[in-house]
Structures are given as structure tokens and as C-alpha cells.
Amino acid sequence: MTEYIIDKSTVEAENAKQEANLRADYDSLGERLDRRGISIDAIKAKVSQFNIAVPSWGVGTGGTRFARFPGKGEPRDIFDKIEDCAVIAQLTQATNTVSLHIPWDRADPNRLKQAASRFNLGFDAMNSNTFSDAKGQLQSYKYGSLSAADAPTRQQAIEHNLECIEIGKTIGSRALTVWVGDGSNFPGQVNFATQFERYLDSAKAIYAALPDDWRIYTEHKMYEPAFYSTVVQDWGTNYIIAKELGDKAYCLVDLGHHAPNVNIEMIVSRLAQFGKLGGFHFNDSKYGDDDLDAGSIDPYRLFLVFNELVDIETRDANFHPAHMLDQSHNVTDPIESLMLSASDVQRAYAQALLVDRKGLSEAQDANDPLTATQHLRTAYRTDVEPILAMSRFEKGGAIDLLGTYRAAGYRQKVAEIRPEVAAGSSGIV
Ligand code: RM4
Ligand code: MN
Ligand code: MN
């Protein structure tokens, strides 16, 4: 039996206020889609199956390198975080897995498993952290981790990743995501080739310990915290890594990890075409790795990414990339942001499912750019909210995510038992 944190009667009462309007909107959208030869129920069925993982660190209040302003009732530890994730899952019905970051979430694995199973939550990829020093660790990552110049530091970073795999095995995870902060701040500080060689050697040692049914995802990032060069700079480097490591190694695309205006949807297509697209960290950005809410700045770009994914999905039934959010919530209630972001990612998927693929490819072959791009715009301009809301409603979630969450008063309730953490410290979580 799944436990629900938000009283079911609150969700039902809020839904009752919206149900008649939702049914009318759903029917009218259904009619319009019917004219385009699309069955609304078929789209809803696909949307209902769509799952996106929530990062444990996303439910904490984030900050910048200047300051962190604590939020009311923020989670004190991983067990509070799991409860917050359960709220998101209950209302969205789209986020039934949580992704852990070690050592931030280190706890007795059996307790972790128990805590998640109360709410029927599973665990997504394990994330290692060799971009900051954990309390009491022997070697420092100040000058790098998997690619560090000195062997003991590299060894420590490798062992940390092996520990993440071990924890993951106990709690039922099947993937390890590796992002390193390694790079350099000054021209000449490192030898690019030597540094990359060391990284590859360390990554190979981790790969060798990966269980057969696991995947390793490596994440590229253009800059930050290293500001001149990073060892896994771009998707090309990432592709080389995945190729060097082997069949269980895939590239992970974090939307925020590219230069502004880079054509991310094309990167997605390239990696998938050559079998190395493993998954995503969804978020949005204006300038850099801003970690803003998915779909909040450039929803058309998110749609274009999903347009590629649906295109690949139609050609290859075995294509199942991992979907996860990776955001930092500095000025909003993280639960609200994550719920809306999950739904925006779902929205982009639903819109992409509406693209007339046959018409699109005919227009491409006929060298008719305007018709081709119109196919995309027609899909993108369709308000699919009734599909998303109906899918949530039928699964026991909330028609109105924000309204229901606020009506339940969850944040106020937890604020009574979770004291505010002192302000002033900076950092992502
Ligand atoms: C990094 C990267 C990683 C995430 C950390 C917290 O920028 O996106 O995925 O684990 O932030
Ligand atoms: Mn990321
Ligand atoms: Mn990032």
C-alpha cells in the first residue's frame, strides 16, 4: 500500500472544482486533434507512461556562489527529501524515481530503501561527487579528481565512484552518473592531453566495476567551476569517452551545460544516431549553467529536443533515454518548481507526439522549408494542458498542481518541524 503525504480528500476536493472544465477542455481538444487525424486518448496513454526522475538535491533550497537564502521548512536530510519527492510524485503522477547524490545523501541503504518504498518510489541513477571535498577525506579535489596529477587523489575519486555503485546495488539503482569539475583556470595550467588520458584511465577503472545490467552516464560541461577549460568540455569529448569505455557507457546531456545558442537538439540527434545518447538533465538557462526551471526560458527549445526524441522513438522501439530534472531553486519553493518542471517536460513530449511526421518528412524531401517548419509550429502551438491534466487526474494526481499543493499547506506543516538552516553559506544545495 502506497502512503500518501497529502490527504487524498484535499486532492479530491480540489479536483472536484476543476473536473467539469477539464472534461469540456479535453473533449474540445480531442475534437480538434481528431480533425488532424490524431487520437487524443493515444497521446494521453503515452503521456501517462512518461516518467522523469527528481534529483534529491533539487528539493533543497539552492544558492549561488554569493549567498544562499534558506527556504521555510527545507529538508534536513535525505529522509525529509524523500518525503518532499513523494509529494511531487503524488500530485504530478509523473516522477516515481529519485536520484541520489553521494556523499550528500549517504545513509543506511536499507533505511533508504524502506523510506522510498513507503511511497512506492524507486531510485534512479546514483550521482558521485568529486567536485567538492567531503568531511575527513584524505586527498583534496582542489586541483582535480579523476584527472588529478597525483595518483592517490585519482584513486580516492575512483573508490568514491565504486562506493556509489555499491550503495546503488543495494537500493536498486541501475546507473551511475559522473560529472567532474576537473579542468583548469589558466592557459598552460594543465596539459590537455595528459589530463584527458588520466581521466580516461580512471573512468576505465570505474567502468570495470560496473555491473552488467548497469549504465554509466558521463556529463559534459563547458565551464564552471573551471573557467578556462574542462576535461569533459563538450559532446564530442563525451562521445569519445563513451566509445573508449564500452557498451555500457553513454553520454548524458544536461541542457544547461552548453554555450548560449548552441543547437542542443542537433547534439541530441547526433548522439542518438550513433547509439550513445544515454539521458538528460533537464533545466533551462539564459546565460550559462543557470539551473532554472525546465521550460521557463525557452520552451520551444525543449520542444525541439523532444521532437528529436520522438523521431528516434518512432524509428527505434528500444530507445529509452533516462529523463531527469537537474535544477537549483533559489527563489521558489522547490516542490512547486519541480512539479511544474516535470509537467513542462511532459508537455514538450506531448507536443512532439503531435508532429505530423509523414508530412514533415515529405516537406523535407520536397525542399519546402516553410511547410516543414510549420509542421513543428502547429504541434508546438497546441495547448496540450488538458491531456496532461487528464492524465494526472486519472492516476489520482492533481488537476491544478500549484493550487492543490498550496491548498494542502504542506510547506507550512513541515516548517513547524524543520527549523531553518542558517543563511550565508553558498553552494548549489
Ligand atoms: C553539476 C552537474 C551535475 C550535478 C551537480 C550538482 O553542474 O549538472 O549533474 O550533479 O551540478
Ligand atoms: Mn547535471
Ligand atoms: Mn549543472
Side-chain angles (χ1 to χ4, degrees), residues 18 57 70 120 189 203 292 333 345 367 396 399:
Q18 314 277 344
W57 60 101
N120 210 9
Q189 181 185 334
L292 294 169
D333 177 331
V345 173
N367 293 317
I399 296 175

Side-chain angles (χ1 to χ4, degrees), residues 119-289:
F119 309 111
N120 210 9
L121 293 171
F123 289 102
D124 203 79
M126 301 297 296
N127 299 263
S128 59
N129 179 343
T130 62
F131 47 85
S132 68
D133 286 348
K135 228 172 153 185
Q137 82 183 34
L138 284 177
Q139 316 295 330
S140 169
Y141 297 133
K142 181 169 180 179
Y143 297 106
S145 59
L146 293 178
S147 74
D150 62 301
T153 304
R154 293 201 299 277
Q155 190 53 34
Q156 178 182 281
I158 293 168
E159 278 163 21
H160 168 66
N161 278 280
L162 302 189
E163 187 205 345
C164 292
I165 297 176
E166 280 313 308
I167 300 172
K169 281 199 225 162
T170 322
I171 62 175
S173 168
R174 299 257 303 275
L176 173 71
T177 298
V178 181
W179 171 72
V180 294
D182 297 29
S184 72
N185 274 16
F186 296 93
Q189 181 185 334
V190 299
N191 178 293
F192 294 144
T194 316
Q195 191 185 44
F196 191 39
E197 205 171 275
R198 290 196 207 108
Y199 171 90
L200 283 173
D201 285 347
S202 301
K204 281 176 190 163
I206 299 167
Y207 186 85
L210 205 67
D212 286 344
D213 58 345
W214 273 52
R215 287 180 168 199
I216 183 170
Y217 301 127
T218 49
E219 211 173 331
H220 57 274
K221 177 166 169 169
M222 186 185 54
Y223 79 98
E224 197 203 17
F227 288 109
Y228 169 64
S229 70
T230 61
V231 70
V232 192
Q233 175 110 5
D234 50 24
W235 71 274
T237 308
N238 207 352
Y239 179 77
I240 294 172
I241 295 166
K243 279 299 254 190
E244 288 283 314
L245 294 186
D247 290 348
K248 294 179 280 180
Y250 293 85
C251 305
L252 189 134
V253 176
D254 182 314
L255 261 57
H257 290 189
H258 306 88
N261 300 329
V262 158
N263 190 335
I264 300 178
E265 58 271 22
M266 210 186 78
I267 294 175
V268 167
S269 166
R270 284 282 189 278
L271 289 175
Q273 186 173 358
F274 292 89
K276 284 298 187 188
L277 179 67
F280 291 89
H281 279 179
F282 290 109
N283 51 51
D284 215 336
S285 61
K286 182 85 181 150
Y287 303 105
D289 188 20

